[in-house]
Structure formats: C-alpha cells, structure tokens
C-alpha cells in the first residue's frame, strides 16, 4: 500500500466556456505526476473527461508513469451490446490499449441487476484475461446489506469505490462507515470518492471553520476532509475532483508527505461531526446524475446549492437571488412534474421531488 494516496478525480476539470481547458488540465497533471502521484480517475459518462485525459496525460507522458481508472455505466445505454461497447469507446477516447482500473459504475438497488442481466461481470473478467483491464472493481451508492450481497456474489472484484467523508460517516442515507467496514471485512481495497462532499467540506459550517482554524490556521478546510479519508486502512486512492491549479497545489502541499490526523485533530473532526448532526442542509454533491433525462432540464444541484445558502449559512437574500436567476430561465423547482427519474439516479438517495417543492416554497 503506497502512501501516495491522492487520486486526481477528473469529473470537475477546469473549463473555458463549455470546453475543458486542456492547458490548465495539463499543468495540473504535470504537478500531480511530479509530486509522485499516479492515479487518474475518469468515466465514460463524464462529458469530455476521457478525451481530456488523452490530451493532458496519455499523449504527454510515458504510459508506465501513471494509472488510469475509468468506468462502465449500464444505465447510460439501452442494450447489452451498447454497454459492452463502452469499454472500446473509452479506450479510443483515452488513446490507450488498456486501463489499469475498470469499474462497473454507480451500483445501487435500482440498477445493480442490470449489470447481471447484461452479463457485465463476465465481460470484465474476459477483458482482464485478455489484458485490456488490469484490475476489476465497482463504485457503489447504497447500503451495507447490498454491498455485502454483491461482494459475496463477485469475489473477482478487487476494489470498491465508496463515498466516504467525515460528514457522512454516520449519515443513515449514505452509511459511509458501515460500507467501509463491509468492504474491509471482504479484504477489498477502497477508492474514496466525495471526500470533500462535492466541495461542501471545503467551506463547512462557520462553527467548524472556527474549530479547524483554532487548531491549525495554516491548513485548508479541504485538507482536513481528505486527510480524514486517507488515514483509513486499506485505501488505494482518495479522489479529489480538482478544478484549478490552486486546488491541486493545496492538495499536494499536505498529501505529498502524507500524515494522518493525530489524536487532537481527530477530536476536532468529532466535534465537527456533532455540529453536522444538527445540520438541515441538503446532502447534494452536485454530481448531476439527476439532471440527465429531466424533461424540463431543471438544474437540480444549482437549486439545492441556493437552498443550502439559506439552510446552512442563513444567507437568505443571497439564496433567493441565486434562485431567482435560475427560475428566471423558466426551469425553476416549480417546473418539476414529479416523474421520479431524478430520484432513481441519485447516488445520495435524496427525496428530490419533495425537496424541490420545499425549495420553491422557501425561495420562490
């Protein structure tokens, strides 16, 4: 197990207008590799990400100097043959003839049987035997009972990607701790996603900010979250979805020579968890899975972000102004028709329909 646990999550790359900024991404990539880190995480369904990996990484660095993780999402396509075709498409986009880590993407109660129906576990095993895949895993967004069922059925899974952060450690809808313990029970390495909870822990509750600054004014709030995750046993990589060079430099400043949280620092985390236990904020990580297929193109994460300005920080007028800008485009929360596709796709299992109604009533 290496101490170079930081992974470059390439879902939230810097952009110029709507296009990914390859120049900025290349600078971030170079800094990451120069610091001794190697794990790059992308996915078939991250718009433009795999091609950006090719341009910023594959075409500029020796293939042996890094590892690539990408993912197959069965729910993104309607047929088995199209699902299996995703790997070929990913390889072409990436400009490589193999991937180091290949994941069946976002397994949960509402979709995991589709991976069985499409024979995708057999498919990835075959591809591993051919050398196209080096390691098989899956990312997971559900409870410990289902996780154990999958791990029992598929011992070929070498690692599991889980949402783990100090805010969700005991969150009953995310079950970070329970899922972590199941994965370790089966001896699986763990890749951690959302260690900063979609950026929410980069600027936490003001009470938590004070706790952390009183303890060490030189550390960023995000560093506490990432070090909490990286200090757990059995961690292959902790993904950070970095969006600019400054975020990359901050992460490298404390992860290059990684030191787990000490006993006194863990006391701060425990106090933060107590504070978060009373939080009424919406636990959205802005992954945007909910928006794909929304018949009215409602920007659900943006609405929840506006609502959290009010719920988490009491910034009522700022929240209302942010919501007015969204609803002025004609796709505010009141445009929801309750079709439910968003709730089926949500990794956080949020009751999106009722939350949108509350947002409309509170902010509209």
């Amino acid at each position: 197990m290496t101490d170079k646990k930081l992974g470059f999550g390439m879902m939230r790359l810097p952009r110029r207008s709507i296009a990914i900024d390859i120049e900025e991404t290349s600078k971030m990539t170079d800094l990451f590799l120069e610091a001794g880190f190697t794990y790059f995480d992308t996915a078939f369904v991250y718009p433009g990400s795999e091609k950006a990996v090719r341009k910023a990484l594959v075409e500029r660095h020796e293939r042996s100097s890094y590892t690539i993780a990408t993912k197959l999402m069965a729910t993104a396509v309607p047929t088995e043959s199209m699902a299996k075709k995703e790997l070929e498409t990913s390889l072409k986009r990436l400009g490589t003839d193999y991937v180091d880590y290949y994941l069946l993407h976002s397994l949960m109660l509402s979709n995991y049987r589709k991976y069985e129906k499409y024979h995708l576990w057999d498919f990835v095993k075959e591809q591993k035997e051919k050398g196209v895949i080096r390691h098989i895993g899956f990312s997971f967004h559900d409870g410990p009972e289902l996780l154990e069922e999958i791990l029992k059925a598929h011992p070929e899974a070498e690692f599991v990607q889980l949402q783990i952060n100090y805010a969700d450690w005991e969150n009953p809808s995310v079950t970070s701790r329970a899922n972590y313990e199941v994965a370790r029970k089966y001896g699986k390495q763990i890749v951690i996603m959302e260690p900063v909870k979609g950026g929410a822990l980069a600027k936490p509750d003001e009470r938590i900010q004070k706790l952390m600054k009183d303890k060490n004014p030189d550390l960023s709030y995000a560093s506490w979250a990432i070090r909490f995750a990286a200090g757990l046993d059995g961690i292959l990589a902790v993904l950070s979805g970095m969006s600019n060079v400054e975020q990359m430099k901050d992460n490298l400043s404390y992860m290059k020579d990684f030191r787990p949280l000490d006993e006194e620092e863990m006391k701060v985390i425990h106090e933060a968890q107590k504070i978060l236990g009373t939080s009424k904020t919406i636990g959205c990580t802005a992954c945007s899975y909910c928006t794909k297929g929304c018949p009215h193109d409602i920007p659900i994460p943006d609405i929840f972000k506006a609502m959290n300005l009010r719920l988490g920080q009491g910034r009522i007028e700022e929240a209302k102004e942010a919501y007015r800008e969204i609803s002025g485009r004609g796709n505010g929360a009141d445009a929801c028709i309750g079709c439910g596709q968003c709730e089926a796709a949500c990794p956080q299992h949020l009751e999106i329909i009722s939350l949108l109604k509350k947002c409309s009533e509170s902010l509209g």
Side-chain angles (χ1 to χ4, degrees):
M1 195 76 64
T2 177
D3 63 348
K4 299 295 186 183
K5 297 180 182 180
L6 184 66
F8 190 170
M10 307 192 81
M11 185 171 78
R12 300 182 174 98
L13 293 173
R15 291 182 178 270
R16 288 184 178 178
S17 185
I18 61 172
I20 291 174
D21 187 336
I22 299 300
E23 183 179 353
E24 181 91 346
T25 302
S26 297
K27 291 177 182 177
M28 296 165 69
T29 296
D30 294 350
L31 288 169
F32 188 75
L33 290 170
E34 287 165 8
F37 296 94
T38 61
Y39 193 99
F40 292 81
D41 173 86
T42 182
F44 175 82
V45 295
Y46 297 168
S49 178
E50 289 180 324
K51 290 182 179 179
V53 172
R54 184 187 75 236
K55 293 177 182 178
L57 176 66
V58 178
E59 293 178 354
R60 301 175 59 250
H61 294 278
E62 289 293 328
R63 184 64 180 90
S64 60
S65 67
Y66 56 83
T67 58
I68 296 175
T70 193
K71 312 177 188 77
L72 184 162
M73 194 165 192
T75 55
V77 292
T79 67
E80 178 177 334
S81 62
M82 290 175 71
K84 292 177 178 178
K85 188 78 171 177
E86 287 183 27
L87 175 58
E88 181 182 336
T89 300
S90 290
L91 291 170
K92 287 180 179 177
R93 289 174 178 171
L94 292 165
T96 182
D97 56 3
Y98 72 94
V99 290
D100 303 273
Y101 300 94
Y102 199 59
L103 296 87
L104 299 182
H105 194 172
S106 196
L107 271 64
M108 61 180 93
L109 187 61
S110 64
N111 69 22
Y112 83 103
R113 289 185 181 88
K114 194 167 188 178
Y115 290 86
E116 306 283 353
K117 179 182 177 182
Y118 284 0
H119 308 101
L120 295 176
W121 287 100
D122 292 333
F123 172 71
V124 294
K125 283 192 291 184
E126 291 166 3
Q127 297 303 311
K128 183 182 178 185
E129 290 170 2
K130 294 176 181 178
V132 179
I133 296 168
R134 299 290 170 88
H135 301 283
I136 298 168
F138 63 98
S139 60
F140 183 77
H141 288 283
D142 216 295
E145 294 82 8
L146 180 60
L147 179 58
E148 185 150 19
E149 179 182 334
I150 293 172
L151 289 175
K152 281 182 179 179
H154 297 288
E156 65 269 28
E158 299 166 76
F159 66 101
V160 185
Q161 185 164 308
L162 299 173
Q163 177 172 320
I164 295 177
N165 55 67
Y166 69 77
D168 289 325
W169 191 239
E170 298 291 353
N171 183 336
S173 67
V174 181
T175 60
S176 284
R177 179 186 57 79
N179 286 342
Y180 169 77
E181 291 177 356
V182 168
R184 294 305 295 152
K185 172 183 173 182
Y186 284 83
K188 305 302 180 184
Q189 287 189 300
I190 297 167
V191 175
I192 293 179
M193 57 182 157
E194 303 293 358
V196 194
K197 199 173 173 65
L201 300 183
K203 192 174 181 181
D205 183 290
E206 289 182 359
R207 294 168 292 174
I208 296 173
Q209 292 184 31
K210 185 176 187 306
L211 285 171
M212 292 177 173
K213 287 303 181 186
D214 285 349
K215 179 63 182 174
N216 191 330
D218 297 326
L219 292 177
S220 68
Y221 304 122
S223 74
W224 288 81
I226 292 177
R227 287 175 61 220
F228 168 83
L232 297 169
D233 292 333
I235 304 305
L236 173 63
V238 178
L239 304 179
S240 179
M242 294 169 274
S243 301
N244 54 56
V245 167
E246 289 70 29
Q247 290 175 2
M248 175 64 77
K249 288 180 177 178
D250 178 55
N251 280 339
L252 295 179
S253 70
Y254 56 84
M255 289 299 290
K256 186 175 181 180
D257 298 306
F258 173 67
R259 179 179 62 80
L261 296 173
D262 61 29
E263 185 176 346
E264 291 302 311
E265 289 171 322
M266 279 303 301
K267 288 180 181 178
V268 172
I269 292 294
H270 293 152
E271 287 301 312
Q273 289 169 330
K274 290 178 184 178
I275 292 169
L276 289 166
T278 63
S279 175
K280 296 179 181 179
T281 55
I282 299 170
C284 173
T285 64
C287 69
S288 295
Y289 291 167
C290 59
T291 62
K292 297 177 177 67
C294 174
H296 290 287
D297 294 320
I298 300 171
I300 298 168
D302 293 341
I303 292 172
F304 289 169
K305 182 179 179 180
M307 186 65 168
N308 281 341
L309 288 173
R310 178 171 189 166
L311 295 177
Q313 302 173 48
R315 292 153 62 183
I316 298 173
E317 290 308 314
E318 190 174 340
K320 288 185 175 181
E321 179 58 34
Y323 181 73
R324 275 195 293 270
E325 183 176 344
I326 295 166
S327 59
R329 300 193 292 265
N331 54 352
D334 57 353
C336 175
I337 60 173
C339 68
Q341 73 82 29
C342 55
E343 294 189 353
C346 179
Q348 312 307 319
H349 310 290
L350 298 176
E351 295 178 355
I352 295 175
I353 296 170
S354 63
L355 286 170
L356 284 174
K357 184 177 180 181
K358 291 177 181 176
C359 291
S360 179
E361 292 171 350
S362 178
L363 301 178

